[in-house]
Amino acid sequence: MTNRNGAGSELEPSVGAGIMDRLDHMAEISESGDILTRRCYTREHRQINDLAGKWMREAGMAVREDPVGNMIGRYEGRKPNAPAIILGSHLDTVINAGRYDGSLGVLSAIDCVRSLNERGIRFDDAVEVACFADEEGVRFQSTYLGSRGMAGCFDQSLLNRKDSDGISLSEAMISFGLDPAHLKNAARDPSDVRCYLELHIEQGPVLEREQLPVCAVTAIAGASRMMVSMLGEAGHAGTVPMNTRQDALAAACECVLLVEDTAKRYDQAVGTVGQIAAFPGATNEIPGVASFSVDFRSSLDSVRQTAVSELQRDMSEIAERRDVDILIDKTHDADGATCSDWIIEQIEGAMTDLGHRPFRLASGAGHDAAAMASITDIGMIFVRCRGGISHSPEEAITREDAITGADLLLRTLERIGGAKN
């Protein structure tokens, strides 16, 4: 195998060279002209699926959209109806997003298949590229909708959940052209999947500190998310005595600090409150209702589960002491996932092939690979990002690192597929 940057007797087709331009093109598909936002089952989701489908066809794949809205390209293997090595990531974004989270993995996967097709290489197994519909969970607080649909663990109760405009998930899917009654048909039989491999930006500072462009991922943290509402009693800010108040916002603020304190007490745990709102929201009125989000993660499921139970108990005690009611709605609960040793070894072997120092890193962020782990072996490749910044317009990678990541993904795919070098 020659080095794809040109070393060796034969220069093979490069991968990754056009990815940055395509990422810029994808970033133009947004719900707002000022910031990048692309939520599931919107007009922009339809546009990005169609664009990805076009590029997959050009790369040599047959393309279809499954019943949960994942766009899937398939590059057949030498054997009819062979299991698939699935590459993929997601096309949705957070609000005011960066342009590399998710999209980099999709475009790198498409480019890998293009390279195979141009060189006439096919494995016994098929290769598929999955563009997952909803990894971020922004619109319906429903993380991993697409990958959970493919993995056969879609939560049907989510269909009644509504977005900020009062549109239910079921209604949004129908508007998108899907039939919720057929969701079960998105599930893949584990025997039809050889493994799942995902490339993603690191979303952290470790690779930059290690002066490495890429690495193998060992595990993905589990996450629990809740929306918490404190229900007190509104009143005039000047007339209600302090010792008789049922201030919902004051109770919520105490709980926010509790989230931070609870996470600090546990190793390998992080807790975040990213949203808070108070009602009625007047400067001269005591808040009668306050709602906030909780995101709690750990690479150890036992730690996360214990800490979340403790957190719910202690928040309830705060509510009782402050004479307010509390409602806790758990919107997301996903176990962590361990990447398969044999895939990690293939990634590290590919790194050695390409002249990179092997390095391993656990992921504190969630990824579609965590859902796919319920039906197949998984592996992940991280690509360095500047300052570890993600979920922000400041998210940045270099063109060189994009090419290196795609090159590593392709070399790993070739090792797994058993291509003759």
Side-chain angles (χ1 to χ4, degrees):
M1 171 64 73
T2 59
N3 185 301
R4 299 182 201 285
N5 292 324
S9 60
E10 181 182 355
L11 179 61
E12 296 180 5
S14 174
V15 286
I19 284 179
M20 297 300 276
D21 289 340
R22 286 190 168 186
L23 285 164
D24 290 343
H25 184 26
M26 293 176 79
E28 295 173 0
I29 300 176
S30 173
E31 296 172 36
S32 169
D34 298 326
I35 62 175
L36 174 56
T37 300
R38 200 163 52 232
R39 299 172 301 161
C40 67
Y41 309 130
T42 59
R43 179 182 62 181
E44 291 72 27
H45 182 187
R46 169 55 60 210
Q47 292 173 342
I48 204 71
N49 263 17
D50 290 347
L51 181 61
K54 172 179 177 288
W55 286 338
M56 287 192 287
R57 290 185 186 93
E58 292 173 351
M61 288 177 268
V63 179
R64 64 184 179 88
E65 189 173 83
D66 76 4
V68 78
N70 301 319
M71 189 63 83
I72 301 168
R74 183 175 174 95
Y75 183 71
E76 291 293 350
R78 290 188 291 258
K79 295 182 178 180
N81 303 314
I85 303 168
I86 301 179
L87 315 177
S89 197
H90 59 97
L91 291 176
D92 66 313
T93 74
V94 296
I95 296 172
N96 197 21
R99 61 187 60 194
Y100 307 106
D101 180 354
S103 296
L104 177 66
V106 168
L107 292 181
S108 298
I110 293 173
D111 218 25
C112 286
V113 175
R114 176 196 59 77
S115 176
L116 295 178
N117 188 43
E118 289 180 352
R119 292 180 287 145
I121 295 176
R122 291 186 187 269
F123 312 134
D124 287 343
D125 296 318
V127 179
E128 292 188 6
V129 175
C131 307
F132 290 117
D134 179 41
E135 189 259 8
E136 301 289 3
V138 170
R139 187 175 181 187
F140 295 101
Q141 301 295 305
S142 51
T143 307
Y144 304 156
L145 273 184
S147 49
R148 281 183 164 177
M150 184 177 286
C153 50
F154 188 95
D155 184 356
Q156 295 283 334
S157 68
L158 294 174
L159 291 172
N160 295 321
R161 185 169 291 172
K162 295 183 178 182
D163 66 9
S164 58
D165 295 319
I167 300 170
S168 72
L169 173 57
S170 179
E171 291 168 337
M173 296 182 80
I174 292 170
S175 177
F176 192 72
L178 305 173
D179 185 349
H182 295 159
L183 282 173
K184 63 180 182 298
N185 295 331
R188 300 292 292 270
D189 189 316
S191 65
D192 291 336
V193 182
R194 167 87 183 279
C195 62
Y196 174 76
L197 187 60
E198 181 171 356
L199 178 143
H200 204 281
I201 58 171
E202 180 198 347
Q203 300 179 280
V206 177
L207 286 178
E208 193 172 62
R209 188 170 62 238
E210 292 287 331
Q211 298 184 338
L212 286 171
V214 288
C215 76
V217 178
T218 58
I220 302 166
S224 297
R225 293 178 183 171
M226 298 170 279
M227 288 299 300
V228 183
S229 295
M230 293 293 188
L231 310 176
E233 185 173 318
H236 195 287
T239 62
V240 180
M242 295 301 294
N243 61 354
T244 64
R245 295 188 178 197
Q246 294 172 274
D247 189 327
L249 181 56
C253 289
E254 190 171 344
C255 290
V256 169
L257 294 177
L258 176 65
V259 172
E260 182 180 61
D261 290 342
T262 302
K264 286 180 177 178
R265 286 201 303 273
Y266 287 89
D267 290 334
Q268 303 182 52
V270 291
T272 304
V273 173
Q275 297 175 323
I276 189 165
F279 305 94
T283 57
N284 61 350
E285 189 163 2
I286 300 164
V289 178
S291 298
F292 58 96
S293 64
V294 176
D295 183 307
F296 206 96
R297 308 184 188 212
S298 175
S299 58
L300 300 174
D301 287 332
S302 59
V303 167
R304 175 178 53 84
Q305 292 160 359
T306 299
V308 168
S309 294
E310 178 184 306
L311 181 61
Q312 291 175 315
R313 180 200 67 204
D314 292 347
M315 287 194 298
S316 296
E317 290 178 357
I318 289 171
E320 182 177 3
R321 173 165 47 81
R322 287 185 168 272
D323 196 22
V324 300
D325 293 326
I326 184 172
L327 297 176
I328 301 175
D329 178 21
K330 184 171 284 190
T331 59
H332 172 71
D333 197 60
D335 287 343
T338 300
C339 294
S340 300
D341 288 339
W342 72 269
I343 300 182
I344 294 173
E345 290 169 2
Q346 292 291 351
I347 294 170
E348 290 188 325
M351 291 181 72
T352 300
D353 292 343
L354 298 172
H356 304 299
R357 171 168 62 91
F359 186 74
R360 298 184 179 190
L361 182 64
S363 174
H367 301 285
D368 288 302
M372 293 297 290
S374 65
I375 61 167
T376 193
D377 291 346
I378 64 167
M380 283 197 71
I381 292 168
F382 272 167
V383 176
R384 173 171 54 191
C385 59
R386 187 178 66 196
I389 297 172
S390 183
H391 284 187
S392 162
E394 299 302 313
E395 189 177 273
I397 64 172
T398 66
R399 180 177 182 273
E400 291 75 14
D401 285 357
I403 292 172
T404 298
D407 211 16
L408 178 59
L409 181 64
L410 177 57
R411 181 59 186 142
T412 303
L413 173 62
E414 289 175 335
R415 291 173 66 99
I416 291 173
K420 301 298 183 182
N421 301 322

